[in-house]
Amino acid sequence: MRFTGTAILSALAIPLIAHAAAPTPAPSPASAPAPATAGPSTNTGPVTWADFLTSCQTAGQIALTYSEGPSEATMEMLETLKEGHAKVTFFTNATWLQYMQYAGVTRHAYLDGHLIGMTYRLPSDTSAGRTDAELKEDIARASRTIQDLIGVYPKYMKIHESNLKDARLLNLVKSMGYTLVGFNLDEYDYKYNTAATSSQIAEVYNAMFSKQNEAYGRKASYIVTGYDVPSTGAAAGLPKVINTIVAHGYDMVRLDGCTNDKTPYKKDPILNNGFVGDAKSFGALEYKHGQTQVKAVTYNPANGGGGSGSGSGSGSGSGRAGKSADGKGSLKTSAGSRIGVAVITLVVPALLAFLL
Ligand SMILES: *[C@@H]1O[C@H](CO)[C@@H](O)[C@H](O)[C@H]1NC(C)=O
């Protein structure tokens, strides 16, 4: 099956196709279109993949992004990232922040110098039956929850897969000044999600870098999509991913480094009235990029690594079970904890069937 020309951009089919594509996604040409810029938008027409940020401005950069956390997997990833001196972007699902242990993990991620964006999923998965004002308020509520914790309102936004075809939502989010984030590399952590297969995640990167190099003889830039939830192999696969990035000479950046954006947070959760930076934003004193080789970190939550203290109230019916008993839990699927990933694996094939 082949897609060509503008047909590719005319539908939101691309992110969905990317999920179901062969394990080695096609390389993205270094001359990929410039990323969509943030800011006021008067566009109320159909939203296409071109409205999403899908690559960086500088060849050789790679921005790892993780959605749907914080979770039991996030703390292990923070340990690995710290060892590799690497910064990434977390799209926080504000719903989980009402649980103290997850709020702690997100704050930890922010203080470690990672960029905090937000994921958003419509209540009941549809914008129908709600006014613009109600939708804006729901988005803003999620944003305020994050701001309460880290002091700034997120600007970079990942829309949940099941809402990607809701043009009204996407236009609204754009008009509010949020930057819609897509990707051009899917690390397939939801597919390589067992102890035996998580090392395959690094092979996805390896294959992409190698193909790009063979085809064009120069580096491209990447925005990677991953999921910091325990039912994926993201945490277990991360050490090898970082080492693969080192081996190919790419430079790990947060999304603000990827877009040369000195103001990666919003001034207001609803109004499109400007942006702010903080001490760790691109161009500021404490901004960091790059990475160093890591050993496979042995994550031991019992020794203070955990963001989820035992007995700290995660049994409150949230459906997110507490940390697994063996304390290694990143590959353990806690019961019912990762509905989002179930949606990806169940809904995406259904959408694909529809689109193709
Ligand atoms: C967080 O994820 C859950 C499960 O997918 C979803 O029901 C909830 O709406 C999400 N929260 C936000 C703010 O998107």
Side-chain angles (χ1 to χ4, degrees):
M1 157 146 353
R2 263 184 86 77
F3 291 86
T4 50
T6 53
I8 273 187
L9 294 176
S10 70
L12 281 168
I14 288 184
L16 305 170
I17 285 163
H19 274 300
T24 308
S28 94
S31 59
T37 49
S41 165
T42 50
N43 175 22
T44 51
V47 176
T48 74
W49 195 230
D51 291 297
F52 288 71
L53 186 64
T54 55
S55 63
C56 299
Q57 293 195 355
T58 308
Q61 290 185 338
I62 182 162
L64 272 56
T65 77
Y66 297 99
S67 306
E68 303 299 334
S71 76
E72 290 79 0
T74 314
M75 199 60 219
E76 179 179 354
M77 297 173 73
L78 291 177
E79 299 283 323
T80 304
L81 291 165
K82 179 168 261 177
E83 193 197 342
H85 303 99
K87 307 299 177 195
V88 302
T89 300
F90 289 102
F91 295 109
T92 298
N93 175 325
T95 303
W96 307 134
L97 299 182
Q98 63 188 298
Y99 303 102
M100 209 194 302
Q101 70 271 30
Y102 298 130
V105 170
T106 291
R107 197 168 151 70
H108 193 134
Y110 176 73
L111 294 175
D112 273 0
H114 302 292
L115 184 70
I116 305 298
M118 66 185 264
T119 48
Y120 182 72
R121 179 174 188 177
L122 283 163
S124 321
D125 280 340
T126 173
S127 62
R130 283 164 214 271
T131 64
D132 281 6
E134 284 166 352
L135 290 171
K136 284 184 179 182
E137 185 47 41
D138 194 59
I139 294 163
R141 201 166 29 151
S143 173
R144 285 188 203 103
T145 306
I146 295 171
Q147 192 268 350
D148 276 348
L149 198 62
I150 64 170
V152 280
Y153 297 106
K155 167 181 178 181
Y156 289 88
M157 165 93 85
K158 188 85 170 213
I159 301 294
H160 193 269
E161 275 77 2
S162 53
N163 299 155
L164 272 177
K165 295 184 73 176
D166 197 316
R168 180 166 166 239
L169 171 70
L170 301 180
N171 276 309
L172 206 64
V173 162
K174 266 173 55 177
S175 75
M176 292 166 81
Y178 289 96
T179 299
L180 290 169
V181 181
F183 59 90
N184 61 3
L185 174 54
D186 182 342
E187 71 165 28
Y188 289 103
D189 50 29
Y190 47 89
K191 177 175 167 188
Y192 300 121
N193 65 349
T194 65
T197 58
S198 65
S199 67
Q200 285 302 307
I201 296 171
E203 288 309 315
V204 174
Y205 289 74
N206 190 34
M208 187 71 131
F209 295 150
S210 301
K211 268 194 181 177
Q212 164 67 26
N213 190 44
E214 277 159 30
Y216 302 96
R218 59 183 163 158
K219 292 187 176 77
S221 73
Y222 299 101
I223 293 177
V224 184
T225 188
Y227 299 90
D228 56 325
V229 297
S231 54
T232 73
L238 186 55
K240 202 172 168 204
V241 164
I242 293 176
N243 292 343
T244 300
I245 292 170
V246 170
H248 285 267
Y250 276 81
D251 183 29
M252 285 177 73
V253 291
R254 315 182 335 160
L255 279 177
D256 53 348
C258 165
T259 57
N260 298 348
D261 178 6
K262 292 183 173 173
T263 54
Y265 295 101
K266 272 166 75 30
K267 271 192 179 151
D268 185 275
I270 291 195
L271 302 175
N272 187 2
N273 65 351
F275 305 101
V276 294
D278 64 5
K280 296 182 168 82
S281 300
F282 174 75
L285 229 52
E286 296 173 32
Y287 172 77
K288 294 270 188 339
H289 65 101
Q291 71 286 327
T292 58
Q293 192 128 8
V294 297
K295 304 184 291 290
V297 174
T298 313
Y299 175 63
N300 187 353
N303 291 342
S308 117
S310 58
S312 69
S314 59
S316 49
S318 70
R320 288 163 65 94
K323 184 171 295 301
S324 61
D326 69 3
K328 290 205 85 124
S330 73
L331 292 183
K332 259 217 154 109
T333 305
S334 23
S337 74
R338 288 348 216 125
I339 296 155
V341 173
V343 166
I344 293 155
T345 46
L346 299 175
V347 171
V348 168
L351 283 171
L352 270 172
F354 167 75
L355 285 163
L356 306 182

